[in-house]
Amino acid sequence: MRVIPAACYENPTWKGVAWLARDLAVYAALVTALILVDSFWLLVPLWILTGLAISGLFILGHDAAHGALFKSGRLNYLLGQFGMLPSLHLYEAWVFGHNRIHHGHTTREIMDYVWHPLSPEQYAALSTTGKLLHRLKWSSLGGGIYYMHEIWWQKMVWNFQPPERVRGAVRRDQLVVGGYAALVSGALLVGGYLGGGGLSGALWMWFKVFAMPFLLWNYSIGIAVYVHHICQDIPWHKRRDWDKFTGQVKGTTVIYMPAWLNFFYHNIFLHVAHHVDMRIPFYGLPAATEALRERYGDEIVVRGYGLRDYLETTKNCKLFDFEQGLWLRYDGAPGHALVDAA
């Protein structure tokens, strides 16, 4: 019996192009404002909004990487890579790591690399520096640092060794993204220098238009992925105990975001439906979510999420005991129930 309505899978080309054009226009307007503005009180909200705008473009690229945004594989690649450029992500590396590994083994010990918790024994074996870094990355202020280092740098830029079958495609995308970063950085540096600022003006233009939005984008995606898969209600599982229903239905959450945030996040916090079938375009996720909730009820983790919930989660979900199936604090105490859970 089909649970998700067939209409949820419909993805006409015009709709994907229209959403990409909308998000690109928002991003371009914010970048233009950043170029023209130097007042700190205006820059702070502009930085935040530009980081969110990068998130919007990335989520469309992410949908394309799943083959959900367009029926055409070529169009998915071309516009998906285009949407991922401001986040400096390699399309084919993302397809390999995200689609095949994360989606294929969600919350599975060793296999799922995204926000994979350490056991108490693994944490105890870390060096002093390693323990400090873990405490930073798993703190309430560490989401962006975790994502930038563990996912973007380690899994995409520096240590990623693609399998032979995708190596050529990944190398091509490295050239595309590297060329984009060099071209944009060069233009901003030259523009800042010629604008009368000299060397300091060049560096400031690059920092305020390129570096700061990229940093905040890492916080946006890092925290988003964290709340998708980390909370007391979502245990991780030993490899031998894991199954697809456990990973895809019970290994993530449904969070109804405020409309102004969903403007940028494109329903990605309705994450159970996305994991059940990644072929569903983002605009089909609301109807798919309601169908899944009607069918599976309490099997699905639905949360009313806010700042207090996030702080409680980062306080209590530090390590994971895979034998007992429990989240633990650093002192070994079990994490307690989260506030405001729906």
Side-chain angles (χ1 to χ4, degrees):
M1 180 182 71
R2 177 187 291 273
V3 175
I4 297 174
C8 295
Y9 295 89
E10 295 175 1
N11 58 349
T13 299
W14 70 265
K15 188 171 287 190
V17 171
W19 280 103
L20 188 63
R22 188 209 74 161
D23 281 12
L24 183 61
V26 171
Y27 176 66
L30 289 167
V31 167
T32 301
L34 284 175
I35 291 172
L36 299 175
V37 166
D38 279 317
S39 168
F40 179 77
W41 301 109
L42 292 176
L43 282 174
V44 170
L46 284 173
W47 280 332
I48 293 171
L49 290 173
T50 308
L52 290 171
I54 294 173
S55 303
L57 285 167
F58 176 82
I59 291 167
L60 295 183
H62 154 275
D63 258 31
H66 281 305
L69 199 60
F70 304 106
K71 293 180 177 66
S72 165
R74 183 171 181 80
L75 199 58
N76 276 318
Y77 170 74
L78 291 174
L79 295 186
Q81 179 68 91
F82 183 74
M84 287 186 174
L85 284 177
S87 60
L88 304 182
H89 274 53
L90 313 181
Y91 182 90
E92 292 294 349
W94 178 262
V95 168
F96 177 79
H98 181 76
N99 294 14
R100 300 181 188 179
I101 300 176
H102 172 59
H103 271 264
H105 304 277
T106 308
T107 66
R108 189 178 192 181
E109 183 187 25
I110 300 174
M111 303 299 290
D112 188 359
Y113 65 96
V114 180
W115 283 107
H116 191 297
L118 293 183
S119 68
E121 295 77 17
Q122 290 171 322
Y123 177 76
L126 294 176
S127 66
T128 300
T129 301
K131 290 176 181 176
L132 289 173
L133 286 173
H134 190 275
R135 286 174 177 265
L136 172 62
K137 292 173 182 176
W138 283 73
S139 71
S140 59
L141 299 177
I145 299 169
Y146 174 93
Y147 187 88
M148 184 183 291
H149 181 258
E150 298 290 336
I151 306 300
W152 181 73
W153 182 252
Q154 294 286 356
K155 303 297 191 299
M156 197 160 297
V157 175
W158 185 250
N159 283 335
F160 178 57
Q161 298 297 324
E164 182 64 35
R165 65 182 181 277
V166 299
R167 190 167 298 162
V170 170
R171 299 298 183 227
R172 175 199 63 209
D173 290 354
Q174 286 176 329
L175 293 174
V176 170
V177 175
Y180 167 84
L183 182 64
V184 171
S185 294
L188 291 172
L189 289 168
V190 170
Y193 186 88
L194 295 180
L199 179 59
S200 61
L203 293 174
W204 170 242
M205 181 67 75
W206 177 83
F207 174 81
K208 72 171 182 172
V209 178
F210 186 83
M212 195 63 181
F214 178 72
L215 174 64
L216 292 179
W217 134 258
N218 278 276
Y219 268 92
S220 170
I221 188 66
I223 292 172
V225 177
Y226 179 91
V227 302
H228 288 162
H229 299 290
I230 305 297
C231 77
Q232 191 198 32
D233 297 327
I234 300 178
W236 283 55
H237 301 273
K238 296 183 73 66
R239 290 182 67 177
R240 64 178 180 269
D241 299 329
W242 183 92
D243 59 62
K244 287 188 176 180
F245 184 86
T246 293
Q248 310 309 346
V249 175
K250 302 177 72 173
T252 185
T253 55
V254 170
I255 301 172
Y256 295 98
M257 301 298 289
W260 74 272
L261 276 174
N262 202 47
F263 176 89
F264 298 101
Y265 284 119
H266 297 311
N267 299 322
I268 200 60
F269 285 85
L270 304 179
H271 214 57
V272 173
H274 173 61
H275 267 263
V276 167
D277 198 333
M278 54 190 174
R279 298 172 301 170
I280 303 170
F282 72 91
Y283 45 81
L285 292 177
T289 297
E290 294 312 305
L292 288 168
R293 289 189 65 185
E294 182 176 346
R295 171 65 176 81
Y296 293 109
D298 292 341
E299 297 278 8
I300 294 176
V301 178
V302 182
R303 305 187 65 195
Y305 214 88
L307 178 60
R308 289 181 63 201
D309 300 80
Y310 177 68
L311 294 177
E312 283 290 321
T313 303
T314 57
K315 175 182 177 182
N316 291 292
C317 296
K318 299 295 191 181
L319 307 172
F320 194 77
D321 186 329
F322 285 90
E323 297 299 329
Q324 299 187 66
L326 293 175
W327 282 101
L328 303 172
R329 301 183 191 180
Y330 286 121
D331 62 6
H336 59 69
L338 300 175
V339 297
D340 295 337

